Amino acid sequence: GIQVEQSPPDLILQEGANSTLRCNFSDSVNNLQWFHQNPWGQLINLFYIPSGTKQNGRLSATTVATERYSLLYISSSQTTDSGVYFCAVTVTSGTYKYIFGTGTRLKVLA
Amino acid sequence: DTEVTQTPKHLVMGMTNKKSLKCEQHMGHRAMYWYKQKAKKPPELMFVYSYEKLSINESVPSRFSPECPNSSLLNLHLHALQPEDSALYLCASSQSPSGEQFFGPGTRLTVL
């Protein structure tokens, strides 16, 4: 089945630093989302980005579907950015599949 | 309103108990999902309902029984669970089975 790998698995940043999180997937996908999971477990929607580039404040994302990866950029990080970041893909050819990536655990230090 | 609600927030149950988790959305979404998330792992899909019909069951043990009474509600009935079933149970919905998913806050389940 399709594999979805994220890197790095763990990341520690000083407040104000920038970072890039990567999501690689092993097969064609129809949709891709980025989520931030806060310490209480809530999954917060960041981007719905099957292809192209989107920006929302300090965050932006790019998906290159033909090369099977997506990137999430966090600029001027804040302590509230801490948590786990997941990408999640949907495959709709044949049997539908909904797969979460392995996650990146981010800690931003004050 | 882009909110998915889940009740209860926390649940502790014994292995012989019967309990239910509830999920509700009022966004007019026609697909609803149950995921299970163990500590320090990504969420894993359990069930998908599309237009109120069960469309995906990811080989989940029969002690978990989903139900979709109407297009806004999704239940997960629990019976004879094992301690290893302790996890965060997340509900999600989307406009269609291929659309953007929105998640509820989850139910943190502990099985004693």
Side-chain angles (χ1 to χ4, degrees), chain A residues 1-5 25-27 89 91 97 99:
Chain A
I2 185 170
Q3 304 295 315
V4 184
E5 300 285 336
F25 38 97
S26 61
D27 206 346
V89 303
V91 178
K97 290 291 182 187
I99 309 291

Side-chain angles (χ1 to χ4, degrees), chain B residues 20-72:
Chain B
S20 296
L21 310 185
K22 181 180 171 181
C23 173
E24 195 164 6
Q25 57 89 13
H26 294 287
M27 296 178 276
H29 288 175
R30 303 313 302 269
M32 296 186 77
Y33 312 77
W34 281 115
Y35 287 83
K36 174 182 178 179
Q37 186 178 22
K38 301 282 280 184
K40 298 191 187 301
K41 296 289 188 182
E44 292 183 340
L45 184 69
M46 300 174 72
F47 303 104
V48 180
Y49 272 83
S50 176
Y51 297 88
E52 299 161 52
K53 292 191 187 317
L54 183 65
S55 61
I56 296 178
N57 175 344
E58 291 285 9
S59 303
V60 179
S62 59
R63 57 185 183 268
F64 295 91
S65 175
E67 178 197 20
C68 188
N70 59 55
S71 60
S72 301

Side-chain angles (χ1 to χ4, degrees), chain A residues 31 33 37 42 45 96 98 101, chain B residues 37 42 97-98 100-101 103 105:
Chain A
N31 293 320
Q33 287 185 250
Q37 189 165 41
Q42 173 79 59
N45 289 42
Y96 278 37
Y98 303 88
Chain B
Q37 186 178 22
S98 59
E100 182 178 8
Q101 293 188 29
F103 281 80

Side-chain angles (χ1 to χ4, degrees), chain A residues 25-74:
Chain A
F25 38 97
S26 61
D27 206 346
S28 299
V29 301
N30 299 89
N31 293 320
L32 188 142
Q33 287 185 250
W34 281 98
F35 296 94
H36 174 211
Q37 189 165 41
N38 67 22
W40 298 272
Q42 173 79 59
L43 282 163
I44 299 161
N45 289 42
L46 298 178
F47 294 101
Y48 174 68
I49 185 164
S51 63
T53 297
K54 291 186 177 180
Q55 179 151 9
N56 184 2
R58 297 182 295 104
L59 303 182
S60 64
T62 295
T63 297
V64 184
T66 52
E67 296 187 22
R68 301 181 182 169
Y69 72 89
S70 183
L71 302 173
L72 177 68
Y73 306 96
I74 305 174

